[in-house]
Structure formats: structure tokens, C-alpha cells
Amino acid sequence: MGDMLTVKDLRVTFLDNNKEALHGISFTMQEGERLGLVGESGSGKTVTAMAITGLIERSRVTVTGDVVFEGMDLHRCSRSQLRSIQGPGMGVVFQEPMNSLNPLIKVGYQVEETLRIHTKKTPEERRKLAIDALDRVGLPNPDEIYSKYPHQLSGGQRQRAMIAAAMVIHPKLLICDEPTTALDVSVQAKILKLLKELSDEYKVGILLISHDLLVVKQLCENVAVMYKGNIVEQGKTLDIFNAPKDEYTRQLMAAIPKRRRHE
Amino acid sequence: MKQYLKNKNFRAGLLITGIMILAILIGLVWTPYDPNAMSGSEKLQGPSGAHLFGTDNFGRDIFSRVIQGAGATFLIAAAAVAIGLIVGLIVGGLTGFYGGVLDEVLMRIADSILAFPSILLALVMIAILGKGKYNIIIALGILFVPSFARIVRTEVAKQKNTDYVRNARLMGASNMRILFLHIMPNIIPVLLSSVAIGFNNAVLSEASMSYLGVGVQPPDPSLGRLLSEAQGYLFQAPWYAIFTGVAIILLILGFGLLADGMGGE
Ligand SMILES: Nc1ncnc2c1ncn2[C@@H]1O[C@H](COP(=O)(O)OP(=O)(O)OP(=O)(O)O)[C@@H](O)[C@H]1O
Ligand SMILES: [Mg+2]
């Protein structure tokens, strides 16, 4: 198994406030690997995700360093090359399930969107795959959900639908930015379990972004700890849990309430 | 739509507009009398069972003429709004989506056009284009572009930053797909009330211009033209002006209430 994603010395500076948000971070992900990116608010996790997904507006930032995904240099390729991996290469799930789905478009249509953009499947094939995906993420009565509007779904259901929308085309990498933060605890655990199953079943790599070390521990074998735009420590999740080397990682660990340590 | 129906003003507007449109539609195929049939023996008669709104100086049935005129005015207003809306959607959509220099330039132009009273600009355009029904439609249509473009631009710029648009982008959707498929449907609710307001402006502008004699020309009918004909007989046949005026007011009131019920100004 080769490297799926290589991030090397990535620096991102926002032009409007001339602020360097990432000070040269590096990490790699293998195919099917689950990596957690933890750090406090403002440490640069979302900026990292944006730089990897190509969401960052090239006119508003300067980016140096490399992001290479499956051999393609994402900051130097053309827009259409970039679009061709958005969806089939990497899917993204964000925190806010309220606004992640377009309020005026039926759930099924949105789940099919990557198929419509990237494949030549017929409407019947797309419908079948979408309903399968909705079923696979644990939504009851997937064919009913298919023709519902987002506001008719609960927060947890919407987040599942988002995961289905990203997974329907079986991407190589799923980037999840705080996927469970807006959900209540019992739903959180279920979504994490689902992500783990999907990752094992389809060999999807997961980059999980969270401020919560325990969430990362439940899902990821590896972890990178971010602090103020740098990665201060990375390695096996269990090793870092048992023997954190960096001072900031120790503080993060100490911030976990005692009663949650054994989750 | 359902949430609009809870609004009293919207329901009242729907009722009035519905009745007007129904009358106009019926008027397209049937009116009690031929709107242009003259009758020397029935000149300037007051409202009666035979002539609901009375007759004019040629003995023509005013009710039939008002219905026909309302239909013409309605079509002119609708066509003008359609032109303004379609061009406004394209201009506002592209500027709001791409921003940049073109956006700056076009919006400055829109601002300066919006700074003039629209009736004045309409008169200037008519002076250039010439009188007549189609020129009115074109003039009003062009005049409506800036206000629609502005609204669309603002809404598109807002939508551009929503999570679901970002997600569509991350699925590899092209710019055009994002603009027309993921953004445009979401601005329709905002546009609806602007359409109703624009429609009212069009009705009023048509009426004013035709009243001034620079709008719809004989033999084409319209409410504005009826009003200008009626003014010559204000004292002999006040019902002519009154019923024409009522038709204009009902058209405007109906759409005004609709706009109000949908959250417009
Ligand atoms: N569009 C932007 N323009 C300017 N600066 C930005 C922009 N987006 C992020 N930043 C800056 O980059 C830094 C990192 O932000 P980022 O959103 O990546 O943090 P985060 O780790 O995701 O935090 P959180 O846990 O709150 O989501 C912040 O200091 C922020 O001020
Ligand atoms: Mg973030």
C-alpha cells in the first residue's frame, strides 16, 4: 500500500489579514488509514482540510508546500483536474448538519449528486445506489428518506444523509471536520461507529478533525496534534495517549474529565 | 407557499388577483359586448343592467373595454417584468457569483440608473424607441433590469457562502451547475415579492405613459389609454374614469398584498 495523501511543509497565508494560518505542516496518509487531527479552536484544522480539498479560494490565500493526492499535485493542477477528484477521490462531511444539505432539494437528489457529476449512470441506477447508500448509513426506510426534504430529517439523520452523499461514489478518502460536534452524545457514538464500519468495509481512509482527543481515539489508529498552525506531535493514537511527549498534548489530555478517560 | 397562505394579506391578495386574472382570461374569449362596437343611440349612458359600467362617448360598453384593457395592461406588465427578471437573473447571477471588476462596474451602473425616477427614464426611452405597446414593454423591461440584478446579486453572493454550496463544490460540481442548480432555486422566494412589486410598477408606468399619450396607441387597448379617453368626459360620464381607475387599483392592490404577504416592502 502506497501513500494516498502526502502533505509536505504546507503553509497557508490569508491575504486579507496577511496572517499565516499554517506554518509548514507535514503528514502522510496510507490507503484506508484513519488519521485524527486534534487541536484547540483556531489551531488550523479546518484550514488544513480546506487546503487538502481544494476549497480554499486560490485568489485569497498564498499556499506553499505540497498536497499530493494519488500522485496529483492539488495546488498546481488545473481546476477541472481538481474537480475530477472532488467526489470520487475525496468526500467531505462537515460539522453542521443543519445547513449541509440544500433546503430546497430533495435528499435523494443530493445523495446522487456525485454520481450525476462524475458517472454516466442512468437515473434508475443512481436511484438504486443512493437508496443503498442511505440504507448503508443506517437510515430507516431509505426509499422514503430519498424523497424527503432536509427539514423533514433530524440532525443525526441529516448527518447520516451527508455521509451517504459522500460515500455513494466510494471515495478513497473521507474528510470529516467535526462530524459529530453538533450532535448529542448518543448519536455521536453511533455516527463514529458507522464511520469505522464504512472505513473497514470500503477501505476508505478517514481524516477526522476534532477538538476532542477521545473522539479521535474511538476511530483513528493515528493522530496528529495541532497547536497554533503547527503539528506538534504525531504517531499512534495509543502511544500518544499513554505517553504524550509534547507539553501541549499533555494539556489536552489533562483537560479530559476523569470520568471520560476510559471511553 | 403553505406558510404564505397563513398570511391574511397574502390570502386577500390571492383572492383579488385571482378574480382579476379570471376576468381577464374570460375577457380574452368573451366580453358582454364587442369592446369596439359603437352605438349611436347609447352614448354616455350611466351604469345599468344592460351596461354594467355604462357606455362611453361612442356608445361602447365600458365593462367590456375595461376587461379588455386590463388584459392588455396585464400582458404588458407581465412581459416587461419577464424581460427585467430574465436579464436581471443572468446579470445578477454572474456578478454575484464571480464578483470582481465586472461586478463593481455593473453595480455602479445599476446604482446610477436606480438613482433616477423610473418614469422619467421610461419617457426618455420612449423618446428614443418611439411610442407603442412593444416599445413600452422593452423600455420598462430594460428599466427593471437593474433592480432585479441587484437583488439577485445580493442573494447569490449570500448563497455562495452557505455550507450546502460549499458541499456541492466539494462534490466537483462546475460553477454553472452550482449557480443554476444549487443557488438559483434558493433565491426564488426572495424574488417572488420583488416580482409582484415590479409588476405594480409596470402597471402604474403603463397607465401613466398611455395616459400621457406616449404609451399604448389606438387602436390597441390598455387601462392607461382608457383613462386618457375617460378624462375628456369626466363630468358627462364620471363612471368611465371611476371604473377604469378601480380596475387599476384592484390590479395593484392584489399584487401589493401578495408582495406584502411574501415579506416584501
Ligand atoms: N477565511 C479566513 N480569513 C482569514 N483568516 C482565517 C480564515 N479562516 C481561518 N482563518 C484563521 O486561521 C486560523 C485557523 O483557523 P481554523 O478554522 O483552521 O481553526 P480550527 O482549528 O478549525 O478551529 P475550530 O475548532 O474552531 O474549528 C485561525 O486563527 C483563523 O483566524
Ligand atoms: Mg474548524
Side-chain angles (χ1 to χ4, degrees):
Chain A
M1 278 210 238
D3 286 353
M4 168 177 62
L5 176 71
T6 308
V7 175
K8 220 173 107 195
D9 201 23
L10 180 67
R11 280 169 201 275
V12 173
T13 308
F14 286 95
L15 294 177
D16 31 322
N17 53 5
N18 208 21
K19 189 176 173 223
E20 190 174 89
L22 297 181
H23 311 301
I25 63 166
S26 304
F27 62 90
T28 59
M29 283 181 76
Q30 313 296 305
E31 254 172 57
E33 177 181 339
R34 292 192 291 261
L35 174 69
L37 205 54
V38 280
E40 64 187 12
S41 185
S43 56
K45 307 181 296 287
T46 298
V47 174
T48 306
M50 282 178 23
I52 294 173
T53 54
L55 195 64
I56 223 153
E57 270 189 71
R58 291 180 186 184
S59 58
R60 291 188 51 216
V61 292
T62 44
V63 180
T64 64
D66 300 326
V67 177
V68 180
F69 179 76
E70 302 250 287
M72 193 192 289
D73 184 340
L74 297 189
H75 287 130
R76 289 172 194 90
C77 66
S78 71
R79 267 173 205 279
S80 64
Q81 279 177 315
L82 182 62
R83 278 216 304 275
S84 72
I85 65 143
Q86 289 173 329
M90 48 175 88
V92 185
V93 176
F94 283 105
Q95 168 178 348
E96 189 49 74
M98 295 305 277
N99 307 318
S100 286
L101 291 163
N102 196 323
L104 290 185
I105 303 181
K106 284 183 180 164
V107 172
Y109 188 96
Q110 302 192 56
V111 173
E112 283 176 11
E113 187 67 348
T114 51
L115 298 175
R116 213 175 279 112
I117 295 169
H118 298 281
T119 72
K120 293 200 163 57
K121 296 203 184 311
T122 64
E124 295 76 44
E125 290 170 330
R126 288 200 302 255
R127 185 187 154 88
K128 191 181 170 301
L129 287 170
I131 289 177
D132 284 351
L134 288 169
D135 186 36
R136 185 61 198 84
V137 296
L139 285 165
N141 304 327
D143 37 354
E144 271 172 40
I145 300 249
Y146 180 91
S147 35
K148 281 190 173 168
Y149 286 96
H151 70 88
Q152 295 169 298
L153 270 54
S154 72
Q157 286 178 325
R158 265 181 286 211
Q159 196 61 311
R160 284 175 195 268
M162 276 310 299
I163 295 171
M167 283 301 298
V168 72
I169 198 162
H170 299 323
K172 295 263 175 172
L173 172 62
L174 194 61
I175 296 174
C176 305
D177 190 350
E178 308 269 7
T180 59
T181 307
L183 306 172
D184 59 57
V185 185
S186 62
V187 185
Q188 260 186 37
K190 284 182 194 149
I191 297 271
L192 288 174
K193 185 161 162 277
L194 169 67
L195 286 173
K196 192 168 198 167
E197 287 167 11
L198 290 173
S199 157
D200 287 337
E201 188 174 336
Y202 299 102
K203 296 278 167 291
V204 189
I206 291 184
L207 180 63
L208 176 72
I209 292 175
S210 178
H211 57 270
D212 189 342
L213 256 177
L214 286 173
V215 166
V216 168
K217 188 182 164 211
Q218 284 176 61
L219 187 63
C220 303
E221 57 266 25
N222 296 315
V223 64
V225 182
M226 286 196 77
Y227 182 61
K228 292 189 174 166
N230 290 302
I231 292 185
V232 290
E233 183 166 10
Q234 55 183 318
K236 293 245 172 303
T237 311
L238 283 179
D239 294 349
I240 287 182
F241 241 80
N242 293 333
K245 294 197 185 68
D246 185 81
E247 177 55 29
Y248 175 69
T249 316
R250 268 183 232 130
Q251 284 174 27
L252 262 188
M253 303 265 306
I256 301 171
K258 281 225 169 57
R259 61 189 164 76
R260 292 188 59 209
R261 294 243 166 121
H262 300 288
E263 270 178 25
Chain B
M1 191 73 189
K2 253 187 218 141
Q3 88 246 23
Y4 293 148
L5 281 175
K6 288 191 198 120
N7 184 301
K8 242 189 234 152
N9 285 349
F10 185 85
R11 284 202 309 265
L14 204 61
L15 185 70
I16 294 174
T17 307
I19 291 174
M20 290 304 285
I21 290 180
L22 193 67
I24 287 168
L25 285 179
I26 292 174
L28 288 179
V29 290
W30 178 83
T31 47
Y33 296 85
D34 175 351
N36 294 317
M38 305 185 194
S39 163
S41 58
E42 293 178 309
K43 283 181 193 172
L44 298 175
Q45 289 186 353
S48 66
H51 296 284
L52 221 45
F53 290 0
T55 61
D56 71 358
N57 51 315
F58 294 115
R60 296 176 294 196
D61 180 51
I62 292 178
F63 182 67
S64 303
R65 289 180 68 72
V66 165
I67 286 186
Q68 193 198 28
T73 296
F74 187 91
L75 279 183
I76 291 172
V81 169
I83 293 177
L85 183 63
I86 291 168
V87 181
L89 271 175
I90 296 170
V91 173
L94 294 178
T95 53
F97 193 72
Y98 289 105
V101 183
L102 186 72
D103 176 34
E104 293 284 325
V105 173
L106 286 176
M107 285 307 129
R108 285 306 147 266
I109 295 176
D111 281 344
S112 38
I113 293 178
L114 287 172
F116 290 97
S118 61
I119 187 78
L120 192 71
L121 288 174
L123 290 175
V124 171
M125 301 260 305
I126 289 300
I128 299 169
L129 295 169
K131 303 170 183 175
K133 159 166 101 174
Y134 294 106
N135 288 340
I136 290 232
I137 293 177
I138 294 171
L140 291 179
I142 294 174
L143 284 177
F144 287 157
V145 169
S147 53
F148 280 122
R150 183 155 271 294
I151 295 163
V152 172
R153 188 202 93 102
T154 311
E155 290 303 311
V156 167
K158 254 191 240 163
Q159 289 283 326
K160 211 175 110 177
N161 296 319
T162 57
D163 291 350
Y164 48 86
V165 167
R166 180 187 58 186
N167 282 334
R169 205 178 275 294
L170 285 171
M171 289 177 174
S174 65
N175 284 333
M176 287 300 119
R177 189 175 178 85
I178 289 172
L179 180 55
F180 289 104
L181 215 102
H182 295 272
I183 293 183
M184 286 298 186
N186 284 290
I187 69 178
I188 290 173
V190 181
L191 273 183
L192 283 179
S193 63
S194 319
V195 165
I197 294 166
F199 185 89
N200 277 355
N201 288 337
V203 169
L204 279 179
S205 306
E206 185 281 314
S208 333
M209 288 197 291
S210 300
Y211 177 77
L212 294 174
V214 297
V216 174
Q217 300 297 309
D220 287 334
S222 88
L223 289 178
R225 253 205 60 221
L226 291 187
L227 210 54
S228 91
E229 280 172 16
Q231 101 174 305
Y233 302 91
L234 217 46
F235 296 104
Q236 294 104 307
W239 50 85
Y240 198 176
I242 289 172
F243 285 119
T244 307
V246 167
I248 294 177
I249 290 170
L250 283 181
L251 266 185
I252 291 179
L253 185 67
F255 276 89
L257 287 170
L258 285 180
D260 190 69
M262 290 183 293
E265 291 91 336

